[in-house]
Coordinates of all heavy atoms in Angstrom, one line a residue:
R115 N -3.9 8.4 -8.7 CA -4.9 8.3 -7.7 C -4.2 8.2 -6.4 O -3.3 7.3 -6.2 CB -5.8 7.0 -7.9 CG -7.0 7.2 -8.8 CD -8.0 6.2 -8.5 NE -9.0 6.2 -9.6 CZ -8.8 5.6 -10.8 NH1 -7.8 4.8 -11.0 NH2 -9.7 5.7 -11.7
Q116 N -4.5 9.1 -5.4 CA -4.0 9.0 -4.1 C -5.1 8.8 -3.1 O -6.1 9.5 -3.2 CB -3.3 10.4 -3.8 CG -2.5 10.3 -2.4 CD -1.9 11.7 -2.1 OE1 -2.6 12.5 -1.6 NE2 -0.6 11.8 -2.4
L117 N -4.9 7.8 -2.2 CA -5.9 7.4 -1.3 C -5.4 7.4 0.1 O -4.3 7.0 0.4 CB -6.4 6.0 -1.6 CG -6.9 5.7 -3.0 CD1 -5.8 5.1 -3.9 CD2 -8.0 4.7 -3.0
S118 N -6.2 7.9 1.0 CA -5.9 7.8 2.5 C -6.5 6.5 3.0 O -7.5 6.1 2.6 CB -6.5 9.0 3.2 OG -7.9 9.0 3.2
I119 N -5.8 5.9 3.9 CA -6.2 4.6 4.5 C -6.5 4.9 6.0 O -5.7 5.5 6.7 CB -5.1 3.6 4.4 CG1 -4.8 3.3 2.9 CG2 -5.4 2.3 5.1 CD1 -3.6 2.4 2.7
F120 N -7.7 4.5 6.4 CA -8.1 4.8 7.8 C -9.1 3.7 8.2 O -9.5 2.8 7.5 CB -8.7 6.2 7.9 CG -9.9 6.4 7.1 CD1 -11.1 6.3 7.6 CD2 -9.7 6.8 5.7 CE1 -12.3 6.5 6.8 CE2 -10.8 7.0 4.9 CZ -12.1 6.9 5.5
N121 N -9.4 3.7 9.5 CA -10.4 2.8 10.1 C -10.0 1.4 9.9 O -10.8 0.6 9.5 CB -11.8 3.1 9.5 CG -12.9 2.4 10.2 OD1 -12.8 2.2 11.4 ND2 -14.0 2.1 9.5
L122 N -8.8 1.0 10.2 CA -8.3 -0.3 10.1 C -8.9 -1.2 11.2 O -8.7 -0.8 12.4 CB -6.8 -0.4 10.2 CG -6.1 0.2 8.9 CD1 -5.6 1.6 9.2 CD2 -4.9 -0.7 8.5
N123 N -9.6 -2.2 10.9 CA -10.3 -3.1 11.9 C -9.8 -4.5 11.9 O -9.7 -5.1 10.8 CB -11.8 -3.1 11.5 CG -12.5 -1.9 11.9 OD1 -13.1 -1.8 13.0 ND2 -12.5 -0.9 11.0
N124 N -9.4 -5.0 13.1 CA -9.0 -6.3 13.3 C -7.7 -6.7 12.7 O -7.5 -7.8 12.2 CB -10.1 -7.3 12.9 CG -11.4 -7.1 13.7 OD1 -11.3 -7.0 15.0 ND2 -12.5 -7.0 13.1
F125 N -6.7 -5.7 12.6 CA -5.4 -6.0 12.1 C -4.4 -6.1 13.3 O -4.6 -5.4 14.3 CB -4.9 -4.9 11.2 CG -5.6 -4.9 9.8 CD1 -6.8 -4.2 9.6 CD2 -5.0 -5.5 8.8 CE1 -7.4 -4.2 8.4 CE2 -5.6 -5.5 7.5 CZ -6.8 -4.9 7.4
P126 N -3.4 -7.0 13.2 CA -2.5 -7.1 14.3 C -1.6 -5.9 14.4 O -1.2 -5.5 15.5 CB -1.7 -8.4 13.9 CG -1.9 -8.6 12.5 CD -3.2 -8.0 12.2
L127 N -1.3 -5.2 13.3 CA -0.5 -4.0 13.3 C -1.3 -2.9 12.6 O -1.9 -3.2 11.5 CB 0.8 -4.2 12.6 CG 1.9 -5.0 13.2 CD1 3.1 -5.1 12.2 CD2 2.3 -4.4 14.5

Side-chain angles (χ1 to χ4, degrees):
R115 270 199 194 89
Q116 185 184 83
L117 304 95
S118 67
I119 298 171
F120 59 98
N121 193 28
L122 290 99
N123 283 268
N124 298 312
F125 287 87
L127 289 176

